[in-house]
Amino acid sequence: MAEQDKEFASQQDSEPEQNAGGEKKKGKSLFETARELEQAERRKQELAERERQKQQAEADYKEREKYGEQLEADKRELIRLKQGVISESDTIFEERPEKKHYTIRQRIGNFFYHNKWWMGIAAFFIIVFGVLLYDDLTTVEPDMIILQLSADSELALRTEGTARYFEQFVPDLNEDGQVKVAVYYIPITNDPQNSTNYYNGDSSKLVVEMQSSSAMLVLADSACKETIAADQTLQDLSGLFPDNQLVKDYAFDLTGTDFLKNIGYEGELDDLYLGIRKVQKLLFATEEKMQASYDQAFPVLEQVITDLSE
């Protein structure tokens, strides 16, 4: 820039040149000179900028080329790792997330949050199991079952009295420290108007009981004679108690005794007897099991007959 200024000053101090006709040539004006200097400076800056861009482009190209070579090298290294050629790499490093640390309260809350459905299902089954276990532990298994087959409504209300009366003759057969008799009441009648209620559910109960050996003593009236085929399913007692006037065929007549009074029955019944089932093979019990139940029930029947015949 300083050299340009000196050149400009020397041009101003020098004499004007003469043309071919001997006339002096007119020199450049100050404005034209300044414009030329500005243009020269602009060209210089443009050249410098192009040079800088060229160098930047070369640097970027080299950087991209270097990055591509690194990617290719990492790819080959990764393939070697996967194929088991090498066990570890100096250029590829596995990024492991930083392990978070939780407080005890956060851990407990996180466990309940992620397992709430399983815990709900587990809680349901625990409750059901607890109820069943409690029921099993608190329910007293009966030592003997009396099957009561009668449609008399007053007699149906006296099942607890019937159970207490028989309990005085029943030993502790299941050895649980107490004596309990259960009375299974199934209403049976020969009245056609009541047949609908009977076949709705009572018939299935009766079939189950008559095909198992759980209830051997039968407390019934003549209305169920045909239903249970009493002459085939009940034991003939006349040969076992030949001198007892209350025994006829398979039945011990209770209407002529104090049985109703003993169980708290208010009123009179013209038809009620006690019998014991025969030993035979059943759908839900073998003949041996039936015999074992018979051997437990017959002494009770014998004591009841003796007690009520006095």
Side-chain angles (χ1 to χ4, degrees):
M1 188 70 181
E3 293 179 355
Q4 293 176 355
D5 292 340
K6 290 179 181 180
E7 182 181 353
F8 175 74
S10 62
Q11 289 177 356
Q12 294 295 323
D13 293 340
S14 62
E15 294 180 354
E17 298 179 355
Q18 294 182 353
N19 55 16
E23 295 181 355
K24 292 182 179 180
K25 186 178 180 180
K26 189 177 178 179
K28 294 180 180 180
S29 65
L30 182 63
F31 176 77
E32 291 175 342
T33 304
R35 187 175 58 184
E36 291 177 356
L37 292 175
E38 183 180 357
Q39 291 176 351
E41 182 64 23
R42 189 181 297 112
R43 286 194 298 271
K44 183 179 180 180
Q45 291 179 357
E46 290 177 354
L47 290 174
E49 179 63 22
R50 285 198 293 269
E51 183 65 23
R52 187 190 66 79
Q53 291 179 355
K54 180 180 179 182
Q55 293 177 358
Q56 183 64 39
E58 292 178 353
D60 292 342
Y61 175 78
K62 291 180 179 180
E63 184 68 22
R64 289 195 299 270
E65 189 178 32
K66 182 179 179 181
Y67 180 71
E69 293 175 354
Q70 183 63 43
L71 287 179
E72 189 65 25
D74 290 346
K75 183 178 180 181
R76 291 194 298 269
E77 192 79 354
L78 183 60
I79 293 175
R80 296 174 65 193
L81 282 171
K82 290 184 177 180
Q83 292 178 347
V85 177
I86 58 176
S87 59
E88 60 182 11
S89 174
D90 296 332
T91 58
I92 300 178
F93 303 96
E94 181 181 1
E95 294 183 0
R96 297 182 180 179
E98 184 180 356
K99 186 177 181 180
K100 295 182 179 180
H101 297 280
Y102 297 96
T103 63
I104 296 178
R105 184 176 181 180
Q106 289 175 331
R107 292 179 182 177
I108 295 175
N110 187 56
F111 175 80
F112 279 97
Y113 176 77
H114 289 287
N115 298 278
K116 54 182 178 292
W117 288 108
W118 289 111
M119 294 185 66
I121 295 173
F124 171 77
F125 282 106
I126 290 174
I127 293 173
V128 172
F129 176 77
V131 171
L132 295 176
L133 181 62
Y134 175 80
D135 183 69
D136 183 67
L137 294 176
T138 56
T139 301
V140 179
E141 292 293 331
D143 296 280
M144 188 164 292
I145 298 174
I146 308 298
L147 193 59
Q148 181 174 304
L149 309 177
S150 175
D152 187 82
S153 57
E154 177 68 18
L155 187 63
L157 297 175
R158 305 303 170 190
T159 55
E160 292 186 4
T162 301
R164 286 194 298 268
Y165 174 77
F166 279 93
E167 283 174 358
Q168 60 184 320
F169 308 110
V170 176
D172 184 12
L173 297 175
N174 56 18
E175 299 180 352
D176 61 352
Q178 53 185 321
V179 175
K180 180 177 177 59
V181 172
V183 178
Y184 287 1
Y185 167 71
I186 300 178
I188 295 180
T189 177
N190 53 12
D191 186 356
Q193 295 180 354
N194 294 329
S195 60
T196 302
N197 293 332
Y198 169 71
Y199 285 106
N200 280 342
D202 294 331
S203 60
S204 59
K205 296 177 184 178
L206 181 62
V207 169
V208 170
E209 293 300 331
M210 294 301 292
Q211 290 297 323
S212 66
S213 62
S214 59
M216 295 298 297
L217 294 179
V218 179
L219 188 64
D221 55 30
S222 58
C224 67
K225 178 179 179 180
E226 295 181 359
T227 304
I228 64 173
D231 54 346
Q232 299 178 19
T233 58
L234 299 183
Q235 177 68 43
D236 186 4
L237 301 177
S238 58
L240 300 175
F241 304 94
D243 298 330
N244 196 312
Q245 297 180 355
L246 298 176
V247 175
K248 183 179 180 182
D249 298 330
Y250 53 80
F252 172 63
D253 186 12
L254 296 174
T255 58
T257 67
D258 293 334
F259 175 75
L260 297 178
K261 180 180 178 181
N262 292 335
I263 67 174
Y265 185 93
E266 297 179 358
E268 295 182 359
L269 277 178
D270 297 331
D271 184 15
L272 187 66
Y273 65 86
L274 178 66
I276 186 170
R277 294 167 58 195
K278 286 182 179 180
V279 175
Q280 53 189 328
K281 183 179 180 181
L282 303 174
L283 183 63
F284 304 124
T286 61
E287 189 171 349
E288 291 76 10
K289 188 174 181 180
M290 190 77 170
Q291 184 64 55
S293 298
Y294 180 90
D295 293 340
Q296 292 179 343
F298 184 80
V300 177
L301 172 66
E302 191 174 26
Q303 292 182 68
V304 170
I305 291 177
T306 303
D307 178 69
L308 295 177
S309 297
E310 293 178 355

